[in-house]
Amino acid sequence: MKKTVTALADGRELIYYDSRDDAVRAAVDLRPLGPISTTSGIRHDPLRGDSVAVASHRQGRTYHPPAGECPLCPTDAAAGRLSEIPDSDYDVVVFENRFPSLAGDSGRCEVVCFTSDHDASFASLTGEQAALVLDVWTDRTAELAQLPQVEQVFCFENRGPEIGVTLGHPHGQIYAYPFVTPRTERMSRSVAGHRAATGRNLFDDVLERERGADRVVLAGEHWVAFVPYAAHWPYEVHLYPLRRVPDLRGLDEAARAEFPGIYLELLRRFDRIFGEGEPPTPYISAWHQAPFRAAGRGDFALHLELFTIRRTSGKLKFLAGSESGMDAFINDVPPETAARTLREVAST
């Protein structure tokens, strides 16, 4: 992987990641961009015990532009189309979000463009391309871990307008939080309590139980994908490396080599859940990594959670009163049924 660090016209960092060592990235951002102005700030809720990012400047972010004006496509200088990526092609690109939820002392937000092909999806990438994205996620985790204000890094992809995606180009995001997120805090408390009560690691025990159940969807030598016993979403799959590591930096070469095949197969199965002729399945794909400075970091297990908000053909799972008001989920699809469906729709 070759990494080329450059800057956009307004000073934001942009990084090209190329699979070719001879790639040259010298294009200049010719757009007359004004300076970045953000209002991002963190407010703590004393009753719920969590934090909220307030970022009113995001109201003006780009919203469903025509395909010909996509800011994530490569620049086409001849056609007069100048985008966030100055070069005329790319493999993978990362840049600082112009409309970040987190900025400065409040963290950092980055955009990850998986491919220059506007009409592609992550599921349509080759194994080599997916491996490059994994390398990029790992590199960004390592880089952002060096920032003194950052406590946790979250790499994720929102896919589909039903999720709230405003740009159709295949891309994901990385949030570098200045605090430990509520989900991670809850998991860490459970892990610490299990260690105190049993002397064992909770992630290891959960993984052992799930591997012996009928909810396994895919299994390799180094990864296993399963629908969890208490899945919150109609179709939800957790993907774990069999060797527990706290974050992406800990994956060994064997796990890294096997990941693209397992993950691409999962995504392709998600697009087949509801049958042929259905629109692409909306999903969120979320990497859970250990906070950098929290106690018990070594007990945390890196894993990916993939889920869709579609519960059946043409119907979405809305977070209504119980979920939104009380954070108490109700799942319409038994996890065993979801796992069986995902096993039956194998794309190979």
Side-chain angles (χ1 to χ4, degrees):
M1 177 180 75
K2 181 179 181 181
K3 179 179 175 182
T4 305
V5 181
T6 182
L8 295 170
D10 54 13
R12 286 176 295 135
E13 189 173 44
L14 179 141
I15 309 165
Y16 293 97
Y17 292 88
D18 288 288
S19 57
R20 305 184 334 269
D21 290 337
D22 60 348
V24 176
R25 302 298 183 185
V28 176
D29 184 4
L30 300 176
R31 295 172 298 169
L33 297 179
I36 294 294
S37 177
T38 66
T39 59
S40 179
I42 304 297
R43 299 187 182 186
H44 182 72
D45 185 328
L47 292 178
R48 295 177 57 156
D50 59 7
S51 297
V52 176
V54 179
S56 60
H57 63 277
R58 284 176 55 78
Q59 287 281 38
R61 65 188 185 273
T62 308
Y63 188 80
H64 293 300
E69 299 175 17
C70 174
L72 307 185
C73 285
T75 285
D76 186 346
R81 187 182 70 199
L82 305 179
S83 75
E84 290 278 60
I85 297 93
D87 219 321
S88 59
D89 66 9
Y90 62 85
D91 288 347
V92 178
V93 164
V94 174
F95 62 86
E96 289 183 78
N97 198 325
R98 186 168 170 81
F99 303 97
S101 302
L102 309 165
D105 292 339
S106 298
R108 176 166 162 137
C109 291
E110 298 181 341
V111 177
V112 183
C113 299
F114 302 137
T115 172
S116 60
D117 184 354
H118 181 87
D119 298 317
S121 67
F122 203 117
S124 70
L125 299 182
T126 66
E128 181 182 11
Q129 289 174 305
L132 180 58
V133 175
L134 178 62
D135 288 343
V136 170
W137 285 328
T138 306
D139 182 76
R140 298 316 303 150
T141 297
E143 288 286 326
L144 294 169
Q146 303 306 311
L147 300 180
Q149 72 271 34
V150 173
E151 296 291 334
Q152 183 178 359
V153 166
F154 176 44
C155 307
F156 65 101
E157 180 192 3
N158 296 332
R159 194 269 192 112
E162 300 93 333
I163 297 293
V165 175
T166 57
L167 296 175
H169 195 104
H171 72 288
Q173 299 181 67
I174 300 175
Y175 278 20
Y177 295 103
F179 53 81
V180 179
T181 60
R183 278 286 302 280
T184 304
E185 282 193 338
R186 288 197 294 270
M187 282 192 284
S188 297
R189 284 197 299 268
S190 297
V191 169
H194 189 78
R195 174 68 76 183
T198 69
R200 299 193 303 271
N201 181 273
L202 179 57
F203 282 110
D204 292 349
D205 285 356
V206 167
L207 192 57
E208 182 179 359
R209 182 189 71 182
E210 294 291 0
R211 291 179 71 190
D214 60 351
R215 292 179 301 277
V216 171
V217 177
L218 282 170
E221 292 185 36
H222 306 284
W223 295 85
V224 62
F226 57 87
V227 177
Y229 172 76
H232 288 56
W233 298 93
Y235 292 91
E236 174 182 342
V237 176
H238 293 191
L239 177 61
Y240 277 74
L242 297 182
R243 185 178 69 87
R244 174 165 46 89
V245 296
D247 61 39
L248 288 162
R249 296 173 295 178
L251 292 175
D252 60 25
E253 288 306 312
R256 301 182 71 83
E258 187 178 77
F259 172 79
I262 293 274
Y263 185 51
L264 290 172
E265 175 63 16
L266 276 181
L267 293 182
R268 290 162 187 166
R269 291 190 189 195
F270 256 58
D271 272 344
R272 296 164 64 93
I273 293 173
F274 305 105
E276 299 294 336
E278 287 289 319
T281 300
Y283 64 73
I284 292 174
S285 178
W287 281 107
H288 290 260
Q289 305 195 82
F292 297 126
R293 285 171 281 277
R297 170 178 166 79
D299 267 345
F300 196 89
L302 167 76
H303 63 285
L304 182 142
E305 298 184 9
L306 172 69
F307 62 90
T308 178
I309 62 170
R310 185 177 293 162
R311 56 188 174 88
T312 189
S313 180
K315 297 178 181 178
L316 301 181
K317 164 65 177 177
F318 292 103
L319 299 190
S322 185
E323 291 90 355
S324 294
M326 296 304 293
D327 199 21
F329 273 68
I330 302 167
N331 191 351
D332 305 309
V333 180
E336 292 74 18
T337 301
R340 184 170 60 251
T341 299
L342 285 162
R343 287 195 298 269
E344 292 172 350
V345 295
S347 68
T348 55

